[in-house]
Amino acid sequence: MKTTVEISDELFLQTKKYASEAKITIREVLEHSLRSYLDFKNNEEMYRLPDLSYGKSGVHPGIELGNWNEMRSLIYGER
């Protein structure tokens, strides 16, 4: 099937250069890229970190989230 797509000049030049160096056609680069992207998207599962929080809020009382200097001090002490 033939179709027309618009891509940036820079992306086209990169694709053309890659195809030339790999001794394959631009069509092959595009088809492989699209297949890889679609396979990845179809098999992609969102990884969720396990909830390893401590207590209800996950933060000890008196510790301010986002205060990295305080957290670093608590973790490393005087080191």
Side-chain angles (χ1 to χ4, degrees):
M1 170 184 261
K2 287 189 176 191
T3 191
T4 302
V5 296
E6 288 186 33
I7 61 173
S8 70
D9 292 343
E10 180 183 348
L11 182 58
F12 176 74
L13 292 174
Q14 287 176 341
T15 304
K16 186 176 178 180
K17 180 181 177 193
Y18 176 83
S20 174
E21 290 171 353
K23 296 183 178 18
I24 59 176
T25 65
I26 292 174
R27 176 185 175 157
E28 289 174 297
V29 174
L30 295 175
E31 285 186 357
H32 177 76
S33 299
L34 287 169
R35 280 193 184 95
S36 295
Y37 179 80
L38 293 173
D39 286 345
F40 173 78
K41 285 308 228 179
N42 289 335
N43 295 321
E44 182 180 9
E45 291 184 23
M46 184 76 147
Y47 178 77
R48 302 225 183 259
L49 289 172
D51 183 0
L52 301 175
S53 58
Y54 176 82
K56 292 182 182 178
S57 69
V59 179
H60 288 279
I63 296 178
E64 180 184 337
L65 281 177
N67 186 338
W68 294 110
N69 289 329
E70 180 184 356
M71 285 191 224
R72 191 177 302 111
S73 172
L74 289 168
I75 294 169
Y76 295 108
E78 297 298 320
R79 289 189 267 168

